[in-house]
Structure formats: C-alpha cells, structure tokens
C-alpha cells in the first residue's frame, strides 16, 4: 500500500467524523473527479451520511491515484466543513508524510475540468492539485494587507454556501406526512430532470388558461429550432448579439412547469462550486417571503435579515456588485403592486423604501446596475421585457425527459418502462406529461395499476377502475390513491372498497373542494390559516392526513400560507365539489351555462351557484375546471363517487339525453369563439357517453380552429366527437394549428368526410402526405377543397398525392404552395392528373420545380385545358393580394414573426417572385409583385436572427 492510501486508511475515522454531517459537497466533487462512478454516486446520495462517506473513502482507497484525487478534493471542499479539517488539510497535504512522490496529475475528461469556486480562487494555495511532497511556496502565502477583505469573507461565504446546500439539495415530492417519497428519491441530484427552455418573444394572451397558452407556445417549436433551446445553466451565458452575459434575465412559465426547481438547481450548483463561479455570492429571495415586509427598509437591511450570517460582510460584498447574483423567485406570488413606469429614483443600498420599490429598482437597474438578476414568474404577471437582456420561457419536458423522469420516479425499471409506454400510447395523458408536476401526478396515479405484485394484493379491486385514459380519470385516480393510502396506512387489509375509502374522507374533501371552487372563481391561489379554518380545514390535517399531498404549506418566518400544489389540483377538487353538490339536472345545465357562457341562473337553490358572478372575459380560465366537472359527472353516473354522493343525477337514466340536448343547442344556435367550441368538444370527450355525443355531433356543420395551435389531445377531442356525426362536415379549418403528423394521424379516420379541408402550415411532411393520399383514395372520400400550403411534403410526398388523385373524383381545388416540390416531384404529374376528371384548380407556386417541371405543367395544361394551373405568383392577381395580406398579417402578429417556418416560406415566395418577375409585363400584377417583394425584404431583414439560426 502506497502513501496516499496509507494516509486515508490511518485517518479514516477522523475524516468520517468531520464530513459525515453533510457529505454532499465531498461526494459531488469526488464524482466530478472520477473517483465515484455515476451509479455509485447516486446510490451514495440515498444512504445515510455516515455510510455514504464511509463507502466513498473505501472506494477512494482502492488505488493510489484515486486516493490522491480524494485528497485534492478535500482541499477544494474544506470550506464546507469544520476548522479541524482545515488544519488537517494544511498539515497533511503539505507535509512529507508520503515517502513516494506522486506523479503529475493526469488529465481527465472535460466533465472534471470544472471552474474553481470563488472561495478557492481567493486562496491560491488551495487551487493547485494535490502533491504529497510539495512544500509551501513563499510566493503563495497570502499577504494580509492585500487580502484582508478576502479573508474576512471566507467564513461567512462558506456558511452561506453550506446553508444553501442544505436547503436546496432536497426536492419536495409532495408525499405523505414526513415529505419522504416512498417510491422515489428526493435528492436534487437524483430527481432533477433537465427542462426545455427557449428564448421568448413575450407574446402572451393573459385571458387564456395558462395550460392552453403553454400548449400553444410549444406547438410553435419546430425540431429545426433546436439551436434556440437553452439549458437552465445557460441563462447567464453570453448573448449572440453582444457576446456579453446578460445582467437581467426573466424566466416565465406556468405553475408546475419547473421554474422554481430550475433556479433551485442553479443555486445548488453554485453553492457546491460547480456553476456560475464568477459570482462571489448568490442571494435567493422568494416573493412569498418578501410579502411579509410591511415597512420601508433598505437592501442592506433586507439581506441582513434574510441572511443573518452575512450581516458583517454585506457592506464589503455590496461594494463589488458585478460579483453578485440576485435570484427573485415567484413574482406572481407578490402581493404588492409594482410601478414599472414610475420615475427613476436615486437609490443606494442604504436607502429605505417600500419593498415593492426596492424590487423595481433592482430589476430596472436603478439599484446595483452591475449586479445580475434572474426573475421567475408566471405568464400572467407583468414584467416589461424592456428591462431584461434575455427573456426565456420554460416549456417543461420533451419526450426523452418524460422517459427520464419516469425512470427516476419508480425504483422498479420494469414498472417505469410499462408506465412510460402507457403514457406514450395514450395521447390524452402524453400531452399532460410535458409539465413536470403533471408527470408526478400521472406517475402517482399509475402506480396503482402497474406496480409489481399489484394484482396479488388486491389494489386493482380497491380502486375498481381501469388505468386512466382521460385527464379527469388521471386526477381522480391520483385523488383515490392519496386518500386510500392515508385511510389504509398501517392496515393489513388492502381490499377496502372504494366507497368506504371515500366516505371516510367525505367531509375533508367537501370542505377542501368548497375552498378550491370559491377561490377559483375569485382567481385566488394563496390561503392563510384563517382561510382554511373558515372552510373547516385544520392546518394540522395538512401534515397528518392525505391533505399533505393536496395542500402545500408555505411557512415563512411568522406567517404560514398554503396553496394547492398545482392549479389543476385546485380545479379538480373544485369540480369534485360541484359534482357532489349539484343534485338536479336543471342545476347542472344552469352551471354549464354559467361556467361556459357567463349566464347567471335566474333563481337556484344549488349551493355552488348561489351569489356567484363570473366576468365573461374570465371564462376561459374555467375551461380546465369545466372539463374536470364533466369527467367527474360521468364518474358519478357510473357510481364511482359512491361514498361521496348517495344517488345518481336526476334518479334516472335520462340525464345523458338531457345533456345531449344542451350541447346540441350550443352548436346549433350559439355563436362561439374558437376556444369555447374546442372546450365543448373536450367536455364531450371527458363525459365520454355515446348517447350524449351522438345527439350533439350532427349539429357541427363547420369547425373553424384557425390559428388555435392545437395539441394531439385537441385532435383526439375533435376525432372523438366528429366520429359520431353521420353527415359531411362542410369545413374543417385547422390552418396554422401545428398539429403535426401525430395530430393528423389522430384525425385521419374522419378527414374523408370534410368537404373543405384546411391543413396549411401544420408542420406536416411526407408521412402526412401518405396519410392524406389514403384519404383521397377512399371510396367514401368527400373532399372537394384541400389546402396543404406551407407544409414540407417534399417531392416523395407529392408523388403520393398525384398517385391518389389519378382515380379520385371529388377534389376540385388543390393548394400546394410552398410545399417543397422539386423537379422530381413532377415526375408522374402528367400521367396521373391527365386521367383525373374532377380537379379544376391547382396552385403550386413557391416550389422550385425547375424548367423540366414547368415543361411538364405545360404538357398537362394541353391535356387538361379545363384545369387551371397557377405555377407563378404573378399568374393570378387574387393570389398576389392574398400573399400581400399574409405578409401584413405576419408583420402585425409577433407570434408569427418568430416562426422559422414563416421565414422559410417568405424566402420561397421571394425566390418565386424573382423567377417570375423577369417575364411579367407591366401592369397591376407587376405593381403587386413589386410591392410584395419589397415587404418581404423588410420582413426578412427584421427576422435576420432567425435566418442565422437555420
């Protein structure tokens, strides 16, 4: 055994005693130094602290090289531990105990070349690799006169880092009572799954439910925009335009999308010395805490109160603001109004002002302009983009991250694989899974059905349900699971009927549901102790019952606040309250009139409808709640709410028909917004009763969801309802909805019944062309107009369409502008379309078909003189005007301006105009073409940042 190994072996008990209280820094640095493998590192994080350090020491002593690395790591992390360890490091790492000189440190992978922490940088002697025989260099000795300030900072900054680590290393899992999840690890290194973050154009429709707004935002992200994606760790990375890191960064995202977890990970990485090491100090401030400040105070006082162990060094820290980072988390929870347009005030760190003024000054840069600031907020909260150098939006998980999260959630890999496969194959659930907190809810709900040995212990019989298929079912299973585990905790029997489980929790669920419902109508998401008590909810129950998985305590200093741990959980409980307290058919119809259209019932005895006023402009915020209600109404009719209600709606089987008449009237007589119409389709799908849907579907003659940015689950809702319609749908307009191939596949079996089918700009490719070709070949095809403009069908895809049209007898107009058709894509056009008898109009502009392609079109024109072919933009005045209108629309709509697809399309139009412009004669067409060229040039110039990213 050689020297470094001998040293560690002989000093094992001392090292263990000094580091076992908080092993996280030691373990992480050992992992990054390749002393611990990934598997070993993660397993140690789950062990008790003393066992983790003991095993790490054992691993390090396996070889001389790893022993030397261990000692080097000790020098880097000594500031996290006691002064005895500091003395030991200074004594043993520089003494001549080791008889054999150590070799030069070997270069390890890029992963191990982490920047030194700011404390390590302050002391040059600490930053060198371990060399057992090295003697202290006089030049390395710190000069007190030069480094007095740095020495003064060392201990308090170390205390700050250690405090942050202990506070940030655990992720809350919303599990029972003691907050330790039984089915998943809670350490941030184990549970954290990276998020999808992208630059944001700050376009927000605040009237829309934040989940739907996010779904729309995600629908605009294309695979070839991957260069726009940034990791949370890159929020402060240099910008492309200036090459400088931004000083002010805004991160927005809906509730549960992972904003707070992302910044928690950032703080953890800084505190452990692995990220943002350019900052001497990071101050994390939560707006929930700032709400407690009722009197004017200075920044110095605020930080001194929040970080008391830094009081003595705050004046020194604040003299170098460029080395400070402020993280302001949860602006949406701030109860004070922010005056963004107020005149700039001269404020320094000692100026006493209201906390709202302090925050505005810090963000605007009136206070500490050289400091860095990261602000997180929900989309509905105003924080003007002009004050920030970078604005980002968190979009949650992508498919691979959903799989990663599922794998981390379950201990059993087989269960994880089966759950992920089920999620992947169920569109309704798959679309939910991109929100991390939804992922938690889904995985908790699925555990009952996929856990190993479940069937043997009777858990299936306990729930008496099949694995969930709809959003409502997912949440109901989650609720059943949390209630059941609490009721049956410590019980040997696992076959307790669901009705008995629910009856035991009836009063608590009713009280909690009423709180959720009445607060939802007021758009209130935070509650104090008095709020809970006024609804019969005891704060003590939040820790001792299943409520700990429903309500999230936010204990700050002297005030204890609560919130539902996700907005959708509040909406689901509100819907449950209404489902068990609306007894008559008439009351339910009145409720739907109120929630969907703002029609207040003239008179009612139903408790949920009394003294309720809902602003019409706030109705969209109730859409998810309404869907939950419809799903729970079905559960009630099927007897799944037994234990909460004692009888079915209306005591008869007539209610599905009565509800069918209501939906029928809405689609027949009422003018609705696109969003409302889509929500009614979702309500029908959640209710999932054929009798009701069969009555409603025939009244849908046209469905216009233009620019709705639809998800796969939206397509599933359309398909579910329209499949029950016996007649032709006059128009289905899904233009600019970005449904993609997956969405088109979900709708495929009903598309043949659409007379006018608008599929423009939907991120479709060759696979979609194959699907659409099958529709056109169907003997039942009734499509007369087909709009496929702006999709990347490519030459192979278009060849499929020509082949389908050879025998099709219904299509009269086909629009294939800007679809990626090349010369190859015209190979069979003459053969196929010369035999077609129905097609009267074909537009194929904006495609680079070459001279051979144009020759084939001329030949086709001779064979089919009645077929009007528009191959150039200047061939048709109406087409030129349509594209001018389109360009104006893009100019006015910032949402479209950031679409790389539109940049591609604009360039295609410009190229087509340039080719055709050489042959066009002077006149109105020439003027329109020139105007269109000029406007496209202007637009492309304004979107040059997108062109560069392609």
């Amino acid at each position: 055994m050689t020297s470094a190994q001998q040293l560690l072996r002989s000093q094992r008990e001392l090292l263990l005693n000094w580091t076992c209280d908080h092993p996280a820094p030691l373990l992480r640095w050992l992992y990054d130094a390749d002393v611990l493998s990934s598997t070993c590192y993660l397993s140690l994080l789950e062990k008790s602290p003393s066992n983790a350090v003991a095993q790490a020491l054992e691993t390090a002593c396996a070889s001389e090289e790893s022993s030397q690395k261990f000692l080097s790591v000790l020098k880097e992390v000594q500031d996290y531990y006691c002064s005895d360890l500091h003395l030991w490091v200074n004594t043993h790492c520089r003494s001549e105990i080791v008889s054999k000189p150590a070799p030069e440190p070997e270069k390890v992978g890029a992963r191990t070349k982490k920047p030194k922490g700011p404390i390590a940088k302050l002391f040059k002697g600490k930053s060198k690799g371990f060399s057992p025989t090295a003697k202290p260099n006089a030049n390395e000795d710190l000069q007190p006169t030069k480094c007095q300030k740095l020495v003064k900072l060392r201990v308090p900054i170390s205390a700050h880092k250690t405090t942050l680590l202990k506070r940030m290393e655990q992720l809350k899992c919303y599990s029972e009572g003691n907050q330790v999840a039984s089915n998943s690890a809670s350490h941030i290194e184990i549970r954290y799954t990276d998020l999808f973050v992208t630059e944001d154009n700050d376009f927000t429709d605040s009237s829309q439910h934040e989940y739907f707004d996010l779904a729309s935002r995600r629908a605009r992200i294309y695979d070839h925009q991957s260069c726009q994606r940034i990791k949370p760790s890159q929020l402060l990375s240099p910008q492309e335009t200036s090459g400088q890191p931004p000083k002010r960064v805004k991160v927005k995202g809906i509730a549960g999308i992972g904003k707070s977890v992302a910044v928690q990970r950032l703080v953890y990485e800084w505190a452990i010395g692995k990220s943002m090491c350019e900052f001497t100090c990071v101050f994390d401030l939560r707006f929930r805490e700032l709400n407690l400040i009722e009197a004017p105070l200075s920044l110095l006082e605020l930080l001194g109160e929040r970080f008391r162990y830094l009081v003595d060094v705050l004046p020194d820290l604040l003299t170098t603001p460029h080395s400070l980072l402020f993280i302001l988390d949860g602006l949406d929870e701030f109860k004070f109004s922010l005056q963004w347009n107020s005149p700039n005030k001269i404020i320094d760190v000692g100026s006493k002002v209201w906390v709202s003024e302090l925050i505005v000054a810090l963000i605007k840069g009136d206070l500490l302009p050289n400091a860095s600031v990261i602000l997180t907020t929900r989309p509905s909260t105003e924080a003007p983009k002009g004050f920030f150098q970078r604005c980002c939006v968190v979009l949650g998980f992508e498919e691979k991250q959903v799989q990663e999260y599922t794998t981390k959630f379950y201990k059993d890999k087989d269960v994880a694989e089966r759950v992920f496969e089920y999620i992947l194959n169920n569109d309704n659930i798959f679309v939910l899974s991109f929100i991390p907190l939804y992922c938690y809810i889904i995985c908790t709900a699925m555990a009952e059905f996929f856990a190993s040995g479940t069937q043997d212990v009777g858990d299936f019989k306990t729930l008496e349900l099949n694995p969930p298929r709809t959003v409502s079912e997912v949440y109901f299973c989650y609720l059943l699971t949390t209630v059941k585990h609490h009721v049956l905790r410590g019980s040997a029997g696992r076959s307790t009927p669901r009705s008995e489980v629910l009856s035991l929790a009836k009063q608590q669920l009713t009280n909690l549901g009423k709180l959720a419902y009445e607060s939802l109508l007021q758009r209130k998401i935070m509650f104090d102790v008095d709020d809970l008590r006024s609804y019969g909810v005891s704060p003590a129950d939040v820790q001792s019952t299943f409520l700990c998985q429903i309500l999230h305590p936010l204990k700050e200093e002297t005030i204890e606040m609560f919130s539902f741990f996700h907005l959708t959980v509040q909406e689901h409980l509100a819907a449950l309250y209404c489902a068990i307290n609306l007894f008559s058919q008439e009351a339910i119809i009145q409720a739907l009139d109120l929630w969907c259209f703002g029609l207040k019932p003239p008179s009612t005895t139903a408790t949920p409808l009394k003294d309720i006023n809902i602003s019409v402009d706030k109705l969209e915020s109730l859409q998810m709640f309404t869907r939950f209600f419809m799903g729970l109404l079905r559960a009630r009719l099927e007897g799944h709410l037994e234990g909460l209600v004692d009888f079915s709606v209306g005591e008869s089987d007539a209610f599905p028909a009565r509800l069918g008449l209501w939906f029928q009237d809405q689609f027949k007589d009422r003018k609705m917004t696109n969003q409302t119409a889509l929500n009614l389709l979702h309500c029908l799908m959640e209710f999932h009763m054929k009798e009701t849907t069969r009555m409603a579907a025939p009244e849908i003659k046209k469905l216009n969801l233009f620019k709705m940015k639809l998800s796969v689950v939206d397509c599933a809702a359309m398909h579910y309802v329209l499949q029950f319609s016996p007649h032709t749908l006059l128009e289905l307009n899904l233009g600019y909805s970005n449904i993609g191939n997956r969405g088109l596949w979900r709708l495929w079996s009903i598309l043949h019944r659409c007379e006018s089918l608008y599929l423009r700009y939907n991120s479709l490719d060759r696979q979609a062309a194959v699907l659409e070709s099958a529709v056109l070949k169907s003997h039942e095809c009734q499509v007369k107009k087909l709009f496929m403009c702006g999709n990347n069908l490519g030459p192979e895809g278009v060849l499929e369409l020509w082949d389908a049209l050879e025998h099709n007898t219904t299509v009269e107009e086909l629009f294939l502008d800007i679809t990626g058709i090349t010369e190859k894509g015209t190979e069979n056009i003459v053969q196929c379309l010369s035999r077609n008898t129905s097609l009267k109009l074909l537009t194929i502009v904006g495609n680079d078909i070459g001279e051979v392609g144009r020759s084939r079109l001329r030949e086709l024109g001779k064979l089919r003189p009645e077929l009007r072919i528009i191959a150039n933009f200047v061939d048709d005045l109406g087409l030129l005007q349509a594209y001018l209108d389109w360009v104006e629309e893009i100019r006015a709509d910032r949402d479209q301006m950031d679409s790389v697809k539109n940049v591609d399309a604009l360039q295609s139009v410009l190229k087509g105009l340039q080719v055709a412009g050489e042959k066009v004669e002077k006149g109105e067409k020439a003027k329109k073409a020139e105007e269109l060229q000029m406007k496209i040039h202007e637009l492309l110039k304004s979107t040059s940042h997108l062109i560069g990213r392609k």
Side-chain angles (χ1 to χ4, degrees), residues 287-306:
F287 282 95
R288 291 198 301 267
E289 298 168 339
L290 300 179
N291 284 336
L292 307 176
I293 302 172
E294 301 286 351
L297 80 172
S298 67
L299 181 64
L300 202 58
E301 291 171 327
L302 170 63
L303 298 179
E305 181 63 29
R306 177 68 180 81

Side-chain angles (χ1 to χ4, degrees), residues 12 61 157 218 223 381 554 598 634 636 701 740 744 827 923-924 927:
R12 179 183 181 280
C61 289
I157 290 294
R218 287 176 63 89
D223 288 340
T381 306
L554 312 169
R634 176 170 65 88
R636 175 176 175 168
K701 303 295 194 302
L744 188 70
E827 286 180 352
E924 190 172 358
K927 289 181 180 179

Side-chain angles (χ1 to χ4, degrees), residues 739-785:
I739 61 174
N741 292 344
R742 185 165 181 155
L744 188 70
W745 172 256
R746 201 67 182 82
L747 291 165
W748 176 70
S749 63
I750 62 167
L751 296 180
H752 66 280
R753 291 194 285 106
C754 304
E755 277 195 4
S756 295
L757 181 56
Y758 294 80
L759 296 173
R760 296 176 294 180
Y761 291 91
N762 267 296
S763 302
L764 304 176
D765 57 22
R766 180 183 178 278
Q767 182 183 351
V770 172
L771 288 174
E772 192 56 45
S773 298
V775 170
L776 300 182
K777 288 179 180 179
S778 169
H779 295 300
E780 299 177 337
C781 179
Q782 299 172 51
V783 179
K784 292 183 179 180
K785 294 182 180 180

Side-chain angles (χ1 to χ4, degrees), residues 296 301 458 499 555 606:
E301 291 171 327
S499 58
K555 192 169 185 179

Side-chain angles (χ1 to χ4, degrees), residues 109-177:
R111 180 174 62 81
T112 66
K113 294 183 179 180
K114 300 290 183 180
K116 307 292 186 186
I119 296 302
K121 286 183 177 180
L122 300 182
F123 299 91
K124 297 179 182 179
K126 289 174 52 185
S127 65
K128 296 185 179 299
F130 170 71
S131 179
T133 58
K135 295 182 179 180
N137 188 326
N139 294 329
E140 292 179 351
D141 291 340
L142 292 175
Q143 301 296 324
T145 55
K146 297 173 62 176
C147 301
Q148 186 176 3
K149 178 180 175 181
L150 302 183
V151 172
K152 183 179 179 182
L153 288 176
R154 175 177 177 174
V155 173
I157 290 294
S158 298
H160 182 50
K161 286 190 168 188
T162 302
T163 302
L164 288 181
L165 278 179
K166 290 183 177 179
R167 185 149 55 90
M168 298 293 174
E169 67 183 3
Q170 298 295 320
L171 285 178
K172 294 180 180 178
C173 297
Y174 306 102
S175 56
E176 299 179 42

